Amino acid sequence: MEQAPQDDGRVRIQLRHTFVTRDGSTLHTQDEGIGTPIREGLMHVTERSVIVGGTGRFSNVRGTLEVHGSVDFERGETVFRYRGELCREKPMAHE
């Protein structure tokens, strides 16, 4: 994860996520976002997550997720809401 403090107090964030389902399938994202302090130890976060790969049921899946939530550094808790669409790419036909 990379963080870059901004002049207005916000933090620009670049990171990657790997989501793993119970069946072992994975979904990989490349994310960019902004963290806005609410109070000491609590930050509101908005991110744009681009799906860059996956395995199992997420093979050949692409899409973008908009993420909104909060990070509570004092409690070590996060709450996020994801919205977006996943699309399966068609495999290329062999000639």
Side-chain angles (χ1 to χ4, degrees), residues 17-31:
H17 281 101
T18 298
F19 298 90
V20 182
T21 62
R22 290 183 187 187
D23 70 359
S25 298
T26 62
L27 185 68
H28 307 284
T29 65
Q30 180 69 42
D31 312 332

Side-chain angles (χ1 to χ4, degrees), residues 13 15 17 19 34 43-47 66-72 77-83:
I13 304 164
L15 64 153
H17 281 101
F19 298 90
I34 293 287
M43 183 174 287
H44 178 261
V45 177
T46 58
E47 291 178 6
E66 299 297 326
V67 183
H68 300 276
S70 62
V71 178
D72 187 329
E77 296 177 350
T78 61
V79 176
F80 289 106
R81 189 174 292 221
Y82 296 83
R83 182 178 179 173

Side-chain angles (χ1 to χ4, degrees), residues 4 12 24 28 37 60:
R12 181 169 299 283
H28 307 284
N60 298 315

Side-chain angles (χ1 to χ4, degrees), residues 36-44 69-74 77:
T36 305
I38 297 172
R39 62 170 168 73
E40 184 68 32
L42 183 64
M43 183 174 287
H44 178 261
S70 62
V71 178
D72 187 329
F73 295 102
E74 293 173 0
E77 296 177 350

